Amino acid sequence: MRAIILSRLITAMGAVVAMAACEDSLSPPDPPGPPAGITVIPSTATIHAGQLVTLQARISDEFGDALDGSFSWSSSNDAIATVGSNGAVVGRMAGTVTVTASALGKSQSSYIHVLARESKDGGKDLGKNREPI
């Protein structure tokens, strides 16, 4: 009698395990959604001191849909470059800064390389190293 009960119990447990395995293999996995967050464009830029580049920011939900929101902007070093409330970055002196856009608890950065100010003659030094005529 014990052998029959044990046999039925093992059979029933095997059937439950088989059903669970079949159900998992038939169910497609949930597709991963796009990550929620902020995108800053361009992600890097190179300008000269005195020049301007305007960054654009977009925030999206976990489905990739754009969300409304205002951004706060910050520069890692205002001596090298400053950023306005609209994402406009002005180079001040040579160096590299990280400009960050923040909104709704998320943030993303762009790296701005500022080169020395261009000379007025377009980089040509007309007065030096000239051969006499």
Side-chain angles (χ1 to χ4, degrees):
M1 184 70 145
R2 283 187 177 176
I4 294 173
I5 294 173
L6 186 58
S7 169
R8 288 183 183 171
L9 183 59
I10 291 172
T11 302
M13 289 181 70
V16 169
V17 170
M19 286 176 28
C22 288
E23 189 172 314
D24 285 344
S25 66
L26 295 177
S27 300
D30 291 334
I38 294 178
T39 304
V40 176
I41 300 171
S43 60
T44 63
T46 300
I47 59 175
H48 284 90
Q51 289 183 328
L52 172 115
V53 62
T54 300
L55 304 178
Q56 297 178 353
R58 176 179 182 255
I59 189 164
S60 58
D61 63 14
E62 64 272 11
F63 303 108
D65 296 325
L67 298 173
D68 290 330
S70 60
F71 295 91
S72 64
W73 294 90
S74 63
S75 169
S76 63
N77 188 337
D78 286 336
I80 295 173
T82 58
V83 61
S85 61
N86 62 348
V89 179
V90 177
R92 299 289 181 206
M93 62 183 280
T96 300
V97 295
T98 303
V99 176
T100 303
S102 301
L104 303 175
K106 306 272 184 192
S107 64
Q108 183 64 26
S109 298
S110 178
Y111 302 97
I112 309 298
H113 306 284
V114 181
L115 304 175
R117 187 177 300 270
E118 286 186 304
S119 63
K120 293 188 182 204
D121 62 8
K124 298 176 188 172
D125 191 353
L126 301 176
K128 294 184 180 178
N129 299 325
R130 289 181 54 186
E131 292 291 323
I133 301 179

